[in-house]
């Protein structure tokens, strides 16, 4: 029998596990993920369900059923992958269904880490979401602060079915996304800065407009890097605008040499540049910035740099604002150091 919240208290999964909405083939990965966690929340005894993404040593919550009774996680939450039960489960070290996590030694570290974050996970259910090439994309997972009885193991066939379905939807949605990105790339010719050959502000904004939803849907890692040149006005005033143009072109050449083809590099204004480092976590972004700084020095260019990671909560606009703030803070520090040196 279902209780007043529409949730089955215990026992086997109903014979017909799918609501009709789950079968719609036109839905994207994010929409199907929401349907899956909502359905699992309604027919299982687990208090919280989520779909997660693994990337760069982090597990990110993409979709989660609403937090109830003061327990749960929310979209955008990040956790160290090596502290997550889902990591142990997807690697084959831990069981997919643990009615009592305290009885599973391999989950001890993850249990303690969750407790330190204010979450008591006494029952756990998980299954990996796998890409066609065998790479683990993430997981479907259920959490509960109460231990469960062995009937929880009856969920295994349903988990197999739902993880296979999400894997298929992920593959189809990813393929459609790549095709759309190729189309966008073809349009970039009209969005190119004539002086540098980089994207102009229009191209940058078009990319963000079209890619924002895709990055949020899959939780893809990325970072936004903002750069503001120093000394451009001085070069223009003392050596002429031709010299200033060459200064800007050397900057563009340095950025091309230190970024990848998959990165988005744009000249956003007279002395302002932006980079979207696609697929880059913080460590890779810091390495890229170190390369840029060295390339600037080699090219006789000076600039202030700030960066911020993309998150499914703040999106690209939030990351750009934070990167801008950090860039201006770096510029302020450079000016203070220069003033101290001169004095």
């Amino acid at each position: 029998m279902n209780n007043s919240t529409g949730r089955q208290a215990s026992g086997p999964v109903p014979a017909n596990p799918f609501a009709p909405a789950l079968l719609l083939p036109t839905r994207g990965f994010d929409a199907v993920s929401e349907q899956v966690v909502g359905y699992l929340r309604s027919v299982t005894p687990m208090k919280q369900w989520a779909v997660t993404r693994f990337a760069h040593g982090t597990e990110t919550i993409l979709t989660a059923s609403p937090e109830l009774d003061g327990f749960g996680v929310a979209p955008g939450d990040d956790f160290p992958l090596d502290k997550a039960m889902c990591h142990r489960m997807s690697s084959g070290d831990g069981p997919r269904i643990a009615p009592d996590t305290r009885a599973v030694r391999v989950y001890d570290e993850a249990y303690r880490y969750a407790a330190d974050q204010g979450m008591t996970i006494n029952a756990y259910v998980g299954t990996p979401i796998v890409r066609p090439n065998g790479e683990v994309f993430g997981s479907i997972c259920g959490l509960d602060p109460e231990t469960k009885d062995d009937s929880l193991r009856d969920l295994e066939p349903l988990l197999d079915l739902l993880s296979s379905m999400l894997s298929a939807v992920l593959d189809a949605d990813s393929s459609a996304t790549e095709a759309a990105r190729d189309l966008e790339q073809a349009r970039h010719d009209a969005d190119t800065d004539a002086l540098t050959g980089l994207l102009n502000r229009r191209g940058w904004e078009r990319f963000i407009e079209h890619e924002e939803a895709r990055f949020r849907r899959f939780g893809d890692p990325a970072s936004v890097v903002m750069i503001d040149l120093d000394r451009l006005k001085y070069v223009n005033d003392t050596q002429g605008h031709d010299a200033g143009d060459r200064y800007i072109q050397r900057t563009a050449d340095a950025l091309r040499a230190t970024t990848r083809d998959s990165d988005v590099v744009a000249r956003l204004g007279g002395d302002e540049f932006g980079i979207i480092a696609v697929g880059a976590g913080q460590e890779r972004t810091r390495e890229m910035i170190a390369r840029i700084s060295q390339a600037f020095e080699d090219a006789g260019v000076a600039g202030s740099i700030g960066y911020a990671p993309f998150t499914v909560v703040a999106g690209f606009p939030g990351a750009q604002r934070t990167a801008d703030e950090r860039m201006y803070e770096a510029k302020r520090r450079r000016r203070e150091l220069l003033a101290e040196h001169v004095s």
Side-chain angles (χ1 to χ4, degrees), residues 212-247:
E212 177 81 13
R214 298 170 191 164
F215 274 79
R216 286 181 185 271
R217 183 184 309 153
F218 300 122
D220 286 340
S223 293
V224 176
V225 180
M226 300 299 291
I227 301 166
D228 193 77
L229 294 182
D230 300 329
R231 297 176 50 217
L232 178 60
K233 184 177 185 303
Y234 174 80
V235 172
N236 283 331
D237 291 345
T238 60
Q239 302 176 40
H241 286 277
D242 285 347
D245 286 349
R246 291 192 295 273
Y247 190 79

Side-chain angles (χ1 to χ4, degrees), residues 37-309:
V37 299
Y39 178 75
L40 287 169
R41 178 66 183 85
S42 70
V43 301
T44 72
M46 304 300 286
K47 182 163 290 186
Q48 181 98 50
W49 284 93
V51 171
T52 76
R53 170 71 191 272
F54 301 165
H56 299 292
T58 299
E59 181 178 30
T60 300
I61 307 300
L62 299 184
T63 303
S65 56
E67 180 179 346
L68 300 173
D69 304 328
F71 174 85
V73 294
D77 287 351
D78 289 328
F79 304 95
L81 189 57
D82 62 356
K83 305 292 186 184
M85 290 184 186
C86 289
H87 174 62
R88 299 290 189 184
M89 175 276 300
S90 63
S91 65
D93 295 331
R96 291 196 298 164
I97 297 177
D100 181 358
T101 57
R102 300 309 302 273
V104 182
R105 178 167 297 181
V106 74
Y107 287 154
D108 283 352
E109 183 180 9
Y111 182 93
R112 291 192 297 269
Y113 176 81
D116 289 342
Q117 310 309 306
M119 294 187 297
T120 301
I121 304 176
N122 278 324
Y124 168 80
V125 175
T127 190
I129 302 170
V130 183
R131 293 185 183 274
N133 64 2
E135 175 191 354
V136 176
F137 171 86
S139 71
I140 307 170
C141 62
L143 313 172
D144 202 285
E146 303 294 335
T147 59
K148 305 299 176 185
D149 59 40
D150 280 347
S151 66
L152 192 67
R153 304 184 193 280
D154 295 338
L155 290 175
E156 190 161 344
L158 178 59
L159 291 178
D160 289 340
L161 191 58
L162 293 180
S163 64
S164 295
M165 183 183 70
L166 276 183
S167 295
V169 172
L170 173 65
D171 183 39
D173 208 356
S174 296
S175 297
T177 294
E178 289 303 319
R181 283 177 176 166
D182 290 343
L183 178 61
E184 284 304 308
Q185 188 65 43
R187 294 173 177 168
H188 281 170
D189 290 344
D191 298 326
T192 300
D193 175 62
L195 179 61
T196 63
L198 301 177
L199 285 183
N200 55 24
R201 180 174 287 277
R202 175 184 167 185
W204 171 270
E205 292 175 350
R206 185 194 294 272
F207 177 90
I208 289 175
E209 177 186 354
H210 285 269
E211 292 292 309
E212 177 81 13
R214 298 170 191 164
F215 274 79
R216 286 181 185 271
R217 183 184 309 153
F218 300 122
D220 286 340
S223 293
V224 176
V225 180
M226 300 299 291
I227 301 166
D228 193 77
L229 294 182
D230 300 329
R231 297 176 50 217
L232 178 60
K233 184 177 185 303
Y234 174 80
V235 172
N236 283 331
D237 291 345
T238 60
Q239 302 176 40
H241 286 277
D242 285 347
D245 286 349
R246 291 192 295 273
Y247 190 79
I248 291 171
Q249 288 168 337
R250 291 201 303 274
T251 300
D253 290 342
L255 294 178
R256 266 189 290 265
T258 52
T259 55
R260 303 160 301 165
D261 291 341
S262 59
D263 296 329
V264 178
V265 186
R267 183 188 177 201
L268 303 178
D271 57 1
E272 184 181 7
F273 293 79
I275 302 169
I276 296 176
V278 177
Q282 295 201 45
E283 182 177 355
R284 185 180 296 177
T285 303
R286 285 193 291 266
E287 292 172 353
M288 183 183 69
I289 289 174
R291 294 195 302 271
I292 291 172
S293 298
Q294 184 60 55
F296 277 6
E297 183 177 341
D298 295 343
V301 172
S304 299
I305 304 174
Y307 80 96

